[in-house]
Amino acid sequence: MSLSFSSDVALNATEAAVFLSERDVAGQIPINFVSTSAVSLRAACFGDNVYDRDAAGKCISNLLVIGYRRFLVDLYWSSDQRDWLLCPLSLSPDVPVVTVSSISPTSSTTTTATSGITATTTATTTTTTTSETTKATVTAVARSSGSVLYELGPYRCSLDLNLSDLINVFRGFFQAYTSELTVYTRYISLNLHAAGSATSPDEAASSVTGSQLPTGSESVSYLFDEHLSSYIYTPSTLASERANLNQSWYQVEDGYKPITEYFTIYEDPNGDQSTPDGWPCVKYLQLAQEKRLLIDYGTIDSQLQDYNLSYMSDVIFPSNYLTSTVSVSLDSDGSVDTGCFYDPDATTVSQANNSWALSDYIPIPQGLSQNSTIAAMSLVASNLTACGLTPTLNDTLFNKTADTDPEPYTEISLSSSWAWSIGQPANADSSSASFSATDRCAVIDLTNSGHWRAINCSQVRYAACRVGNNPFTWQLSPAPYTFRDAYDHGCPENTSFAIPRTGLENTYLYQYLLTRTDVLDPTSAFPNKTKVWLDMNCIDVESCWVTGGPDQECPYASDPQQLERRTVLVAAIAGIVICIIAALTLFVKCNANRRNSRRNKRVIKGWEYEGVPS
């Protein structure tokens, strides 16, 4: 039976509001400039070298739910098992296996390796070892849960944990999360390896050639296309849309069009526009086209150099097409010393081009408590995001994987959020002691590294004003205003009341505000000197954060925290009604057939005879 999506974790109201509001403000930014969170599946799910199939399904499910957007996946081709495995070692079908029970280790079973355990000979462990047992080179442990783990060198692996399982979990997740409130783009980067031999675990894997290579239906691209094609945004679609923007990205509502300052545009004599380097924005991809997954290859081992990557090449992007790994160095306080894309002299995207920028370095400090360790790692992740980089978690946290202890993994995922201060927006959870019913407008807080918080809309603050539609150029309103007045007439000519749309844009605004020492001071005790209005509010519907001024309506028509539950409830009620109608229809039809049947029969001396009605 294939794995399915199954998670026992959930985001709380505040965490959900953070992700949703960030997604919405970045909705028109091309996806290659939106930093997010990344995780190595090997580290988060298999850091203890245990590749248990059931645990893996739960781990991947948890990582999806708690907000990780990019997954780094290592796949191992086994020519013996004819499959892409998640375990680094492969077990040949003719290798003898000794099966022991984790409950009763005094008995063992000798068999050959198959997808399941079939007992052929049973021997009781004594001081004399049977000849069959001495031939065994691999031990399989039957666990109390019913799963079987094979001891393959330093690894313990389920024999059938494979790429199809990963695909099925993603598919189940996409099917479970269909509401506009919960749809996010995911990315998978695939590192391809040749599986090593279980009987020679210390030796490098052999080269895969000829008939050992995957066939067409065994290829990675075929498997993804077979099961996830409706969700995948493909290379050919990108090429087609880039070639004619008038017939693609420009054919949707204005709110779904990408911000053109982020890519190069060419225009022909007929007025048709194209781009050599542009990408669609989040809203176009997720909401207009309903695509939720992009896949690229990462590294490919030399042992697989003959693998045909061009087969069905329209499914997976070429190696590192969606990834630009940046080398960074950190100061002792966790700030980014080198590798940051913030440049105080930059005014255009080409001068601070963080397209697909990713950092694979979040150091784990030694000698600290778990809480202090998470705090230090979270600070680094937050600083990387503020620099325009996607932070990648490449380590197992506290020797526990995300299926057994998802909490620290959740903390790192949330720290990749670039907008809100911790615990904000407070009104997403009305039970918060610090929440005021009027705290429905957002400010950037200079006392908290430029993160946002919610305050009373009637308070008087300066306002952040974007110059033109430039990503990195800001001005301050000439005077402090209430939120409504700031939107109506607070910003100077050729500027507009605005909000940063990415972590890097937020850094440019924050750094600009720090230069305005004439009216602002992050060390001041006066809030009007430390907080600046942003064009974001939830005046219409609590916890539904929108841009566009105080009269902007919530696009979800109701409380985002309630809409999902109502959708599920309505669907459930509709399902029950359909079942009742179907049952009644069947009952009426059966009853009618019964009456008709009886009318078509004659009873003669106690016997029923079929006949034609007279």
Side-chain angles (χ1 to χ4, degrees):
M1 181 181 296
S2 61
L3 281 185
S4 59
F5 169 74
S6 177
S7 175
D8 56 2
V9 298
L11 298 175
N12 63 38
T14 299
E15 293 164 349
V18 167
F19 285 135
L20 180 62
S21 58
E22 282 191 11
R23 185 201 72 179
D24 287 352
V25 297
Q28 291 184 262
I29 301 298
I31 57 174
N32 54 319
F33 288 103
V34 179
S35 56
T36 180
S37 54
V39 64
S40 163
L41 209 62
R42 173 196 53 76
C45 296
F46 313 120
D48 52 3
N49 284 345
V50 176
Y51 288 76
D52 181 270
R53 193 164 177 265
D54 293 334
K58 182 179 177 182
C59 183
I60 299 168
S61 299
N62 286 351
L63 293 173
L64 285 165
V65 171
I66 62 180
Y68 285 96
R69 306 284 184 254
R70 181 184 286 266
F71 290 76
L72 311 183
V73 180
D74 291 282
L75 295 177
Y76 299 84
W77 171 250
S78 167
S79 55
D80 289 326
Q81 297 177 228
R82 306 301 304 177
D83 208 350
W84 290 99
L85 307 177
L86 295 182
C87 178
L89 297 180
S90 168
L91 186 59
S92 175
D94 58 357
V95 174
V97 175
V98 172
T99 305
V100 299
S101 170
S102 60
I103 301 176
S104 178
T106 59
S107 64
S108 63
T109 300
T110 302
T111 182
T112 54
T114 62
S115 59
I117 296 298
T118 304
T120 56
T121 304
T122 301
T124 301
T125 303
T126 64
T127 55
T128 302
T129 306
T130 67
S131 60
E132 287 181 303
T133 304
T134 58
K135 295 179 182 178
T137 56
V138 170
T139 299
V141 180
R143 311 179 84 183
S144 58
S145 62
S147 64
V148 177
L149 293 181
Y150 292 78
E151 295 184 354
L152 310 179
Y155 307 102
R156 287 185 292 164
C157 304
S158 296
L159 197 61
D160 53 352
L161 176 59
N162 55 25
L163 173 58
S164 294
D165 288 326
L166 173 73
I167 290 173
N168 286 331
V169 173
F170 268 77
R171 182 174 59 181
F173 173 76
F174 290 152
Q175 292 171 344
Y177 286 76
T178 58
S179 165
E180 188 176 348
L181 297 164
T182 57
V183 171
Y184 295 88
T185 304
R186 285 337 200 261
Y187 307 88
I188 298 178
S189 291
L190 301 169
N191 300 316
L192 303 186
H193 314 272
S197 171
T199 56
S200 305
D202 297 328
E203 297 181 7
S206 302
S207 294
V208 182
T209 59
S211 61
Q212 296 175 325
L213 290 164
T215 62
S217 61
E218 294 169 335
S219 69
V220 172
S221 52
Y222 177 89
L223 293 172
F224 272 104
D225 184 68
E226 179 75 7
H227 301 288
L228 291 174
S229 59
S230 62
Y231 300 106
I232 297 174
Y233 186 75
T234 64
S236 65
T237 301
L238 173 65
S240 174
E241 292 178 346
R242 280 178 170 179
N244 193 335
L245 300 180
N246 303 62
Q247 298 299 317
S248 57
W249 303 345
Y250 295 170
Q251 271 207 325
V252 295
E253 297 177 12
D254 288 345
Y256 288 7
K257 296 177 182 178
I259 302 297
T260 56
E261 281 76 9
Y262 274 89
F263 52 86
T264 306
I265 294 177
Y266 298 139
E267 185 171 333
D268 66 17
N270 297 322
D272 292 329
Q273 294 187 351
S274 62
T275 176
D277 55 8
W279 285 86
C281 62
V282 171
K283 285 188 175 180
Y284 175 87
L285 195 67
Q286 295 176 171
L287 305 180
Q289 296 299 316
E290 298 183 347
K291 299 299 182 183
R292 300 174 61 178
L293 180 63
L294 288 86
I295 313 167
D296 74 342
Y297 290 113
T299 60
I300 301 174
D301 282 359
S302 59
Q303 292 94 329
L304 286 175
Q305 62 181 352
D306 292 337
Y307 175 56
N308 185 12
L309 293 175
S310 63
Y311 180 76
M312 293 186 69
S313 58
D314 188 36
V315 178
I316 301 176
F317 285 92
S319 290
N320 297 314
Y321 203 84
L322 311 178
T323 305
S324 177
T325 303
V326 177
S327 177
V328 301
S329 62
L330 304 173
D331 290 332
S332 58
D333 61 356
S335 60
V336 180
D337 183 31
T338 61
C340 185
F341 283 91
Y342 171 72
D343 178 357
D345 297 323
T347 57
T348 64
V349 171
S350 61
Q351 296 171 309
N353 188 348
N354 66 319
S355 175
W356 296 120
L358 179 146
S359 170
D360 57 5
Y361 181 56
I362 304 179
I364 299 180
Q366 302 299 314
L368 300 180
S369 67
Q370 178 167 324
N371 287 342
S372 297
T373 299
I374 285 294
M377 295 180 68
S378 296
L379 177 61
V380 171
S382 178
N383 290 338
L384 290 170
T385 306
C387 281
L389 295 153
T390 288
T392 305
L393 181 61
N394 267 318
D395 292 285
T396 307
L397 298 179
F398 310 109
N399 297 317
K400 294 181 180 179
T401 50
D403 55 301
T404 59
D405 187 10
E407 183 60 31
Y409 295 90
T410 304
E411 294 295 328
I412 299 301
S413 172
L414 290 170
S415 67
S416 300
S417 164
W418 53 269
W420 295 95
S421 300
I422 296 175
Q424 292 285 325
N427 69 351
D429 181 2
S430 298
S431 63
S432 172
S434 61
F435 168 66
S436 167
T438 55
D439 287 351
R440 296 199 172 196
C441 294
V443 292
I444 183 171
D445 187 353
L446 302 187
T447 68
N448 193 19
S449 302
H451 288 99
W452 309 346
R453 65 173 52 252
I455 68 170
N456 190 313
C457 303
S458 64
Q459 295 184 22
V460 175
R461 300 287 184 270
Y462 286 93
C465 306
R466 187 187 300 277
V467 178
N469 203 28
N470 297 321
F472 307 140
T473 309
W474 297 86
Q475 287 188 17
L476 197 63
S477 63
Y481 300 93
T482 64
F483 182 82
R484 178 173 292 277
D485 288 343
Y487 179 78
D488 289 341
H489 53 263
C491 288
E493 188 177 358
N494 298 323
T495 71
S496 58
F497 188 35
I499 189 168
R501 300 163 298 199
T502 68
L504 190 57
E505 283 193 11
N506 196 67
T507 297
Y508 273 89
L509 172 59
Y510 172 61
Q511 293 295 333
Y512 163 73
L513 295 178
L514 292 180
T515 68
R516 293 300 307 268
T517 55
D518 53 328
V519 291
L520 300 175
D521 179 6
T523 65
S524 174
F526 299 100
N528 63 342
K529 288 183 173 291
T530 62
K531 297 174 178 61
V532 174
W533 286 129
L534 301 173
D535 179 22
M536 192 172 216
N537 73 89
C538 65
I539 295 173
D540 182 42
V541 174
E542 180 183 321
S543 80
C544 180
W545 289 88
V546 298
T547 60
D551 298 321
Q552 185 69 34
E553 295 181 352
C554 175
Y556 310 114
S558 63
D559 183 352
Q561 304 307 323
Q562 300 296 329
L563 183 59
E564 180 77 6
R565 288 192 287 272
R566 278 205 295 272
T567 301
V568 173
L569 181 60
V570 169
I573 293 173
I576 293 172
V577 170
I578 290 172
C579 290
I580 293 174
I581 292 174
L584 289 174
T585 302
L586 182 62
F587 174 78
V588 171
K589 185 175 181 180
C590 290
N591 192 48
N593 289 341
R594 181 173 178 272
R595 290 198 304 270
N596 290 336
S597 176
R598 293 188 65 85
R599 281 199 299 268
N600 294 344
K601 296 178 181 178
R602 291 181 297 158
V603 180
I604 302 176
K605 294 183 179 181
W607 295 89
E608 290 185 347
Y609 292 87
E610 298 287 349
V612 179
S614 57

